[in-house]
Amino acid sequence: MFPALLASVSILSLPPNRFPSFTGPRMPRSRACLSLPTARAQASSRRTRRPQNVDGEFFVDTVCIDCDTCRWMAPDIFTRVANLSAVAKQPQSKAERLNALQALLACPTSSIHTEKPPADILEAQDTFPLPIEEEKLPGVYHCGYHSEKSYGAASYLLVHPDGNVLIDGPRYTERLARKIDLLGGVRFMFLTHKDDIADHEKWSKRLKCDRILHAEDVEASTVDVEIKLDGSGPWNLNESLKLIHTPGHTKGSVCLFYRPLQVLFTGDHLAMTATGLSIYEQYNRDSVLLQIDSVKTLARLDFKWILPGHGRRVEYENTAEKTAALEAFVEQKLAPHSGF
């Protein structure tokens, strides 16, 4: 069903970059490399409340990387002020408080805090993996626990009768692993591209699943991935799951199309932002024009949902609306290049 493992794979050594960090690169530093005074100063910084937060129990600290996670998870509580997240309103109900705690747990840099340890944090932990739309998207979950190694990208769990699929890598936590076990474990860990792999090795060993990554995106940390996709595909995991090669953001970017629910998992290839559809061209690691061309390929697929690694989810009314939106987006992006 899959191509054989490659006999040899070129190891890429592109410099890492933060994505998406609207205030510029800020790479994490290993605690082991810090002197005690520096570690204490950093810990103190993590507890420093941004002045843009409203008064009250919840606050965002100054280590926030503007990944947008808390703002789309709990939009009534968090907002963007001075290029970073902040608490705009303290939770007023049990539902709002639960949303705020879920965002706290998902934050990749642990930048969301409460003045005192929350007594109900276990309740929030037990909600992950979190159903996205139980009626419209049964069996599709948001894993939470975003990883700083993946620049805050979302990871998803797709429950499938032929074997569950973990899409990209969340931060490893045994509590989440046990919850995934209860949902049937994982057969495949599909990595959309090289940026959002996070703790893939820990997950693979713990869940005893095979990892899938395109050969063009294999690096030193993923050379042991069990299944390396070769060529331009497409590849079928089964009758309902198709892998679509969408080069551009990286050479080996691949999207996962789930036909029965008309869902497209896009990684960093395509997403909705507060201002509309985006391919995050400022963070492109290969070719913007090639990425735009890959969007044209996706416009021909029969999907209504976009579930991205970064950015907001999208639900279109129907495939015609989706096609019109993507075609207009491509035309807009190609306009500056029309003279070439």
Side-chain angles (χ1 to χ4, degrees):
M1 179 165 56
F2 294 100
L5 299 183
L6 300 182
S8 62
V9 179
S10 298
I11 303 301
L12 306 181
S13 57
L14 294 176
N17 65 335
R18 297 218 56 81
F19 177 85
S21 173
F22 298 98
T23 55
R26 281 187 281 179
M27 295 301 295
R29 296 178 62 187
S30 169
R31 286 184 180 272
C33 298
L34 300 177
S35 65
L36 184 58
T38 302
R40 285 175 176 167
Q42 228 181 50
S44 176
S45 174
R46 287 184 179 272
R47 292 192 296 272
T48 300
R49 184 185 190 117
R50 296 193 68 221
Q52 292 84 357
N53 293 284
V54 299
D55 292 337
E57 180 183 10
F58 285 82
F59 66 93
V60 179
D61 71 21
T62 54
V63 183
C64 169
I65 60 171
D66 195 29
C67 73
D68 194 35
T69 297
C70 65
R71 303 195 295 266
W72 62 256
M73 287 189 68
D76 293 335
I77 305 301
F78 300 95
T79 190
R80 189 171 190 250
V81 185
N83 299 320
L84 297 175
S85 292
V87 174
K89 186 191 81 170
Q90 295 293 334
Q92 301 297 310
S93 66
K94 183 176 181 179
E96 287 185 344
R97 180 177 176 82
L98 178 60
N99 284 161
L101 289 173
Q102 289 168 335
L104 179 153
L105 291 169
C107 177
T109 53
S110 300
S111 290
I112 302 173
H113 307 268
T114 53
E115 292 288 351
K116 296 179 181 179
D120 49 350
I121 191 66
L122 290 179
E123 179 184 349
Q125 290 175 335
D126 283 341
T127 62
F128 293 109
L130 184 65
I132 293 176
E133 288 273 359
E134 289 189 275
E135 293 187 5
K136 295 180 179 179
L137 297 177
V140 182
Y141 298 83
H142 169 214
C143 292
Y145 297 98
H146 295 200
S147 173
E148 190 170 10
K149 297 175 186 176
S150 292
Y151 324 120
S155 173
Y156 302 94
L157 178 70
L158 175 60
V159 174
H160 193 280
D162 291 339
N164 298 344
V165 181
L166 182 61
I167 300 160
D168 284 329
R171 184 168 74 247
Y172 183 81
T173 164
E174 180 58 27
R175 181 179 294 273
L176 179 61
R178 290 196 298 268
K179 292 295 294 292
I180 291 175
D181 285 339
L182 293 175
L183 290 168
V186 170
R187 182 180 180 188
F188 297 114
M189 183 177 187
F190 167 60
L191 304 172
T192 59
H193 66 299
K194 61 187 175 183
D195 293 337
D196 294 349
I197 59 176
D199 295 326
H200 70 97
E201 189 170 12
K202 290 182 180 179
W203 284 110
S204 177
K205 290 179 179 178
R206 169 62 175 80
L207 298 173
K208 296 180 174 58
C209 59
D210 289 335
R211 293 160 292 176
I212 303 171
L213 178 66
H214 198 284
E216 290 281 7
D217 270 17
V218 169
E219 296 182 324
S221 63
T222 49
V223 72
D224 292 330
V225 163
E226 290 77 14
I227 299 170
K228 300 179 178 71
L229 303 175
D230 190 20
S232 57
W235 307 268
N236 292 316
L237 285 180
N238 51 51
E239 291 183 359
S240 61
L241 291 170
K242 177 181 284 191
L243 303 179
I244 312 294
H245 189 207
T246 51
H249 175 70
T250 63
K251 291 182 184 297
S253 289
V254 177
C255 295
L256 174 62
F257 176 39
Y258 184 35
R259 293 185 186 91
L261 297 182
Q262 297 179 291
V263 178
L264 188 71
F265 297 90
T266 58
D268 289 358
H269 179 65
L270 180 67
M272 181 65 72
T273 69
T275 57
L277 283 171
S278 175
I279 56 172
Y280 296 113
E281 55 261 54
Q282 67 269 45
Y283 303 107
N284 184 279
R285 301 184 69 175
D286 183 30
S287 165
V288 171
L289 286 176
L290 185 56
Q291 190 172 358
I292 295 170
D293 194 56
S294 291
V295 175
K296 290 167 62 177
T297 299
L298 294 180
R300 296 191 287 269
L301 294 178
D302 185 26
F303 68 90
K304 296 193 302 184
W305 287 82
I306 294 175
L307 299 187
H310 297 278
R312 310 334 177 56
R313 304 165 190 153
V314 185
E315 179 188 10
Y316 291 103
E317 184 69 26
N318 48 51
T319 56
E321 182 185 33
K322 173 273 303 178
T323 301
L326 266 60
E327 288 178 348
F329 175 74
V330 167
E331 183 177 353
Q332 172 200 347
K333 287 297 177 183
L334 287 177
H337 307 281
S338 58
F340 296 92

PDB file of all heavy atoms in Angstrom, residues 243-254:
ATOM      1  N   LEU A 243      -3.861  10.896   1.032  1.00  0.00           N
ATOM      2  CA  LEU A 243      -2.772  11.843   1.287  1.00  0.00           C
ATOM      3  C   LEU A 243      -2.465  12.583  -0.012  1.00  0.00           C
ATOM      4  O   LEU A 243      -2.209  11.962  -1.043  1.00  0.00           O
ATOM      5  CB  LEU A 243      -1.530  11.114   1.795  1.00  0.00           C
ATOM      6  CG  LEU A 243      -1.718  10.265   3.058  1.00  0.00           C
ATOM      7  CD1 LEU A 243      -0.411   9.574   3.434  1.00  0.00           C
ATOM      8  CD2 LEU A 243      -2.233  11.108   4.212  1.00  0.00           C
ATOM      9  N   ILE A 244      -2.486  13.925   0.062  1.00  0.00           N
ATOM     10  CA  ILE A 244      -2.305  14.782  -1.114  1.00  0.00           C
ATOM     11  C   ILE A 244      -1.001  15.566  -0.971  1.00  0.00           C
ATOM     12  O   ILE A 244      -0.845  16.358  -0.022  1.00  0.00           O
ATOM     13  CB  ILE A 244      -3.479  15.773  -1.272  1.00  0.00           C
ATOM     14  CG1 ILE A 244      -4.829  15.066  -1.139  1.00  0.00           C
ATOM     15  CG2 ILE A 244      -3.357  16.530  -2.591  1.00  0.00           C
ATOM     16  CD1 ILE A 244      -5.129  14.091  -2.232  1.00  0.00           C
ATOM     17  N   HIS A 245      -0.073  15.385  -1.903  1.00  0.00           N
ATOM     18  CA  HIS A 245       1.182  16.136  -1.869  1.00  0.00           C
ATOM     19  C   HIS A 245       0.909  17.590  -2.236  1.00  0.00           C
ATOM     20  O   HIS A 245       0.375  17.886  -3.312  1.00  0.00           O
ATOM     21  CB  HIS A 245       2.172  15.517  -2.860  1.00  0.00           C
ATOM     22  CG  HIS A 245       3.558  16.092  -2.751  1.00  0.00           C
ATOM     23  ND1 HIS A 245       4.427  16.125  -3.817  1.00  0.00           N
ATOM     24  CD2 HIS A 245       4.215  16.648  -1.706  1.00  0.00           C
ATOM     25  CE1 HIS A 245       5.563  16.667  -3.432  1.00  0.00           C
ATOM     26  NE2 HIS A 245       5.470  17.000  -2.162  1.00  0.00           N
ATOM     27  N   THR A 246       1.257  18.502  -1.332  1.00  0.00           N
ATOM     28  CA  THR A 246       1.026  19.939  -1.557  1.00  0.00           C
ATOM     29  C   THR A 246       2.324  20.707  -1.299  1.00  0.00           C
ATOM     30  O   THR A 246       2.443  21.446  -0.335  1.00  0.00           O
ATOM     31  CB  THR A 246      -0.093  20.474  -0.637  1.00  0.00           C
ATOM     32  OG1 THR A 246       0.186  20.080   0.725  1.00  0.00           O
ATOM     33  CG2 THR A 246      -1.446  19.928  -1.044  1.00  0.00           C
ATOM     34  N   PRO A 247       3.318  20.534  -2.156  1.00  0.00           N
ATOM     35  CA  PRO A 247       4.605  21.203  -1.934  1.00  0.00           C
ATOM     36  C   PRO A 247       4.464  22.720  -2.013  1.00  0.00           C
ATOM     37  O   PRO A 247       3.568  23.245  -2.666  1.00  0.00           O
ATOM     38  CB  PRO A 247       5.467  20.662  -3.078  1.00  0.00           C
ATOM     39  CG  PRO A 247       4.482  20.303  -4.158  1.00  0.00           C
ATOM     40  CD  PRO A 247       3.274  19.791  -3.423  1.00  0.00           C
ATOM     41  N   GLY A 248       5.360  23.379  -1.334  1.00  0.00           N
ATOM     42  CA  GLY A 248       5.365  24.841  -1.355  1.00  0.00           C
ATOM     43  C   GLY A 248       5.825  25.394  -0.029  1.00  0.00           C
ATOM     44  O   GLY A 248       6.873  26.029   0.058  1.00  0.00           O
ATOM     45  N   HIS A 249       5.051  25.173   1.036  1.00  0.00           N
ATOM     46  CA  HIS A 249       5.520  25.613   2.364  1.00  0.00           C
ATOM     47  C   HIS A 249       6.832  24.904   2.678  1.00  0.00           C
ATOM     48  O   HIS A 249       7.796  25.525   3.130  1.00  0.00           O
ATOM     49  CB  HIS A 249       4.463  25.304   3.422  1.00  0.00           C
ATOM     50  CG  HIS A 249       4.930  25.610   4.816  1.00  0.00           C
ATOM     51  ND1 HIS A 249       5.112  26.895   5.271  1.00  0.00           N
ATOM     52  CD2 HIS A 249       5.277  24.793   5.846  1.00  0.00           C
ATOM     53  CE1 HIS A 249       5.546  26.858   6.523  1.00  0.00           C
ATOM     54  NE2 HIS A 249       5.660  25.593   6.884  1.00  0.00           N
ATOM     55  N   THR A 250       6.853  23.597   2.472  1.00  0.00           N
ATOM     56  CA  THR A 250       8.087  22.815   2.431  1.00  0.00           C
ATOM     57  C   THR A 250       7.976  21.896   1.210  1.00  0.00           C
ATOM     58  O   THR A 250       6.895  21.731   0.642  1.00  0.00           O
ATOM     59  CB  THR A 250       8.269  21.941   3.697  1.00  0.00           C
ATOM     60  OG1 THR A 250       7.194  20.997   3.764  1.00  0.00           O
ATOM     61  CG2 THR A 250       8.298  22.794   4.957  1.00  0.00           C
ATOM     62  N   LYS A 251       9.088  21.300   0.837  1.00  0.00           N
ATOM     63  CA  LYS A 251       9.065  20.420  -0.339  1.00  0.00           C
ATOM     64  C   LYS A 251       8.165  19.207  -0.109  1.00  0.00           C
ATOM     65  O   LYS A 251       7.550  18.683  -1.043  1.00  0.00           O
ATOM     66  CB  LYS A 251      10.489  19.954  -0.670  1.00  0.00           C
ATOM     67  CG  LYS A 251      11.420  21.041  -1.185  1.00  0.00           C
ATOM     68  CD  LYS A 251      12.782  20.467  -1.517  1.00  0.00           C
ATOM     69  CE  LYS A 251      13.768  21.549  -1.938  1.00  0.00           C
ATOM     70  NZ  LYS A 251      13.330  22.234  -3.171  1.00  0.00           N
ATOM     71  N   GLY A 252       8.085  18.759   1.142  1.00  0.00           N
ATOM     72  CA  GLY A 252       7.342  17.544   1.428  1.00  0.00           C
ATOM     73  C   GLY A 252       6.031  17.755   2.154  1.00  0.00           C
ATOM     74  O   GLY A 252       5.533  16.828   2.796  1.00  0.00           O
ATOM     75  N   SER A 253       5.446  18.937   2.072  1.00  0.00           N
ATOM     76  CA  SER A 253       4.153  19.167   2.721  1.00  0.00           C
ATOM     77  C   SER A 253       3.085  18.269   2.107  1.00  0.00           C
ATOM     78  O   SER A 253       2.987  18.144   0.883  1.00  0.00           O
ATOM     79  CB  SER A 253       3.732  20.636   2.568  1.00  0.00           C
ATOM     80  OG  SER A 253       4.528  21.484   3.369  1.00  0.00           O
ATOM     81  N   VAL A 254       2.279  17.663   2.972  1.00  0.00           N
ATOM     82  CA  VAL A 254       1.220  16.751   2.527  1.00  0.00           C
ATOM     83  C   VAL A 254      -0.031  17.030   3.354  1.00  0.00           C
ATOM     84  O   VAL A 254       0.047  17.241   4.559  1.00  0.00           O
ATOM     85  CB  VAL A 254       1.640  15.274   2.702  1.00  0.00           C
ATOM     86  CG1 VAL A 254       0.511  14.322   2.311  1.00  0.00           C
ATOM     87  CG2 VAL A 254       2.900  14.967   1.881  1.00  0.00           C
TER      88      VAL A 254
END
